[in-house]
Amino acid sequence: DTGVSQDPRHKITKRGQNVTFRCDPISEHNRLYWYRQTLGQGPEFLTYFQNEAQLEKSRLLSDRFSAERPKGSFSTLEIQRTEQGDSAMYLCASSLGSDSNQPQHFGDGTRLSIL
Amino acid sequence: AQSVTQLGSHVSVSEGALVLLRCNYSSSVPPYLFWYVQYPNQGLQLLLKYTTGATLVKGINGFEAEFKKSETSFHLTKPSAHMSDAAEYFCAVRGSGSARQLTFGSGTQLTVLP
């Protein structure tokens, strides 16, 4: 169990640029989540994958955001035309199977700063 | 819909004193509840969880929490604080939909004074 890995850890970019983050879940975990955390707040749910299928998206996920999990393993989260309000920590989590007793395991996040 | 309220955004205790972090939840279904800890610039680490069964759950690092349905509470306690406990703590409730996503409270920053 190597844990959930996220890359990069930090991203600084200018407003209007596109950014892409990567998440590698724990290898046997078929459920993958993206959350966003702003300063002083708890994480907020963005989207959920079961294997390669994106099954749920939050209203927070505007059309500038897109997420993929092409082979049911790693996932990417892309933000197009970044805005100041996108500055946040983006957290990825994974969990195992259909048993809802299984907890979500979180990565260390990607901190995005928009100049 | 689910929601979580954490009373007290900042809590300070002396080293060796009791830690009590408060969490109240709202859930339309029997709740699954979690406490996570977050150290600076890191992700969230699971401390403990309540799903079904025993209402007093023990977690890592000497923490425990008690599920009280009548009070819709899931407060986190530790008998004796250690300097290494200084961190931010989040209470969360699991969603009832197929995604089972977590809804988090706004967190409590714990400071441990020497």
Side-chain angles (χ1 to χ4, degrees), chain A residues 9 33 35 100-101 104, chain B residues 36 38 41 49 94 99 102:
Chain A
R9 292 293 311 280
Y33 302 81
Y35 291 83
S100 55
N101 285 344
Q104 294 177 26
Chain B
Y36 284 85
Q38 186 175 35
N41 297 314
K49 64 177 182 178
R94 189 208 67 185
L102 298 174

Side-chain angles (χ1 to χ4, degrees), chain A residues 24-70:
Chain A
D24 287 272
I26 295 171
S27 58
E28 65 269 26
H29 286 187
N30 60 337
R31 301 168 72 97
L32 186 146
Y33 302 81
W34 285 99
Y35 291 83
R36 182 172 70 186
Q37 184 180 22
T38 53
L39 202 60
Q41 299 297 318
E44 295 174 292
F45 169 73
L46 291 179
T47 191
Y48 158 68
F49 289 84
Q50 183 162 324
N51 300 311
E52 67 277 8
Q54 187 175 19
L55 297 183
E56 192 156 334
K57 292 192 284 188
S58 161
R59 288 171 295 176
L60 293 175
L61 210 67
S62 76
D63 56 6
R64 295 184 298 104
F65 288 69
S66 62
E68 294 182 341
R69 194 182 183 196

Side-chain angles (χ1 to χ4, degrees), chain B residues 15-37:
Chain B
E15 191 174 19
L18 172 72
V19 176
L20 171 60
L21 305 183
R22 299 178 187 275
C23 172
N24 288 88
Y25 69 90
S26 171
S27 178
S28 56
V29 297
Y32 284 14
L33 296 158
F34 304 82
W35 275 99
Y36 284 85
V37 61

Side-chain angles (χ1 to χ4, degrees), chain B residues 4-75:
Chain B
V4 173
T5 301
Q6 292 185 238
L7 297 175
S9 57
H10 291 84
V11 170
S12 293
V13 300
S14 298
E15 191 174 19
L18 172 72
V19 176
L20 171 60
L21 305 183
R22 299 178 187 275
C23 172
N24 288 88
Y25 69 90
S26 171
S27 178
S28 56
V29 297
Y32 284 14
L33 296 158
F34 304 82
W35 275 99
Y36 284 85
V37 61
Q38 186 175 35
Y39 296 96
N41 297 314
Q42 293 187 22
L44 282 75
Q45 180 183 7
L46 180 69
L47 281 176
L48 49 80
K49 64 177 182 178
Y50 168 78
T51 53
T52 58
T55 57
L56 181 64
V57 293
K58 296 186 183 299
I60 62 172
N61 301 338
F63 284 94
E64 62 182 36
E66 186 171 11
F67 170 65
K68 292 186 176 180
K69 183 178 179 180
S70 61
E71 298 177 8
T72 61
S73 69
F74 190 57
H75 302 330

